[in-house]
Amino acid sequence: QVQLVESGGGLVQAGGSLRLSCAASGRTASWYSAGWFRQAPGKEREFVAVINWRSGNTNYEDFLKGRFTISRDNSENTVYLTMNSLKPEDTAVYYCAGSRFSLPRTRNMYETWGQGTQVTVSS
């Protein structure tokens, strides 16, 4: 079993930056990818970005590319999401998830989810 714990969320002004962390523990050897999703109030959970643990290849939601960067530290079993130029519409709960597939973009291809971390961007 794999456990995921997100951290790094908080309140930030528009134009600011945050870095989210997702620490994985347990049986991560079978994983191929770690992804970030977000869910705003009243909206569906949406894909943000994903990274392949082994190759470091990445995939982003198109409209976020350029502002958000996903990265990983294999030695620490940690995935990061660096968010720059934040906008009020980025306000959401951000979730980390793990998958045995390579660079999946859909929720149903992820097996394990963290509890989420709140990001609030004020205008």
Side-chain angles (χ1 to χ4, degrees):
Q1 189 70 15
V2 177
Q3 295 80 40
L4 301 172
V5 178
E6 301 100 330
S7 62
L11 174 64
V12 63
Q13 288 188 331
S17 299
L18 280 176
R19 188 178 80 158
L20 307 182
S21 300
C22 173
S25 60
R27 302 181 66 179
T28 61
S30 62
W31 278 19
Y32 274 99
S33 302
W36 286 96
F37 287 72
R38 68 183 185 183
Q39 187 166 17
K43 295 189 176 181
E44 294 287 320
R45 192 171 300 187
E46 64 178 358
F47 170 77
V48 173
V50 60
I51 188 166
N52 184 295
W53 275 112
R54 305 175 190 189
S55 67
N57 290 339
T58 59
N59 198 313
Y60 293 88
E61 180 58 52
D62 287 344
F63 64 85
L64 295 173
K65 194 173 184 178
R67 294 195 299 124
F68 289 15
T69 303
I70 190 171
S71 59
R72 94 277 195 224
D73 183 335
N74 289 47
S75 65
E76 297 290 332
N77 268 2
T78 300
V79 177
Y80 302 98
L81 184 69
T82 302
M83 306 183 293
N84 297 317
S85 302
L86 283 163
K87 306 174 182 180
E89 50 264 42
D90 293 319
T91 295
V93 177
Y94 283 72
Y95 296 91
C96 174
S99 174
R100 290 171 293 170
F101 298 96
S102 181
L103 302 179
R105 296 171 60 94
T106 57
R107 290 171 56 184
N108 62 355
M109 297 184 76
Y110 288 83
E111 295 87 29
T112 304
W113 293 82
Q115 83 288 351
T117 185
Q118 176 72 46
V119 172
T120 303
V121 185
S122 63
S123 57

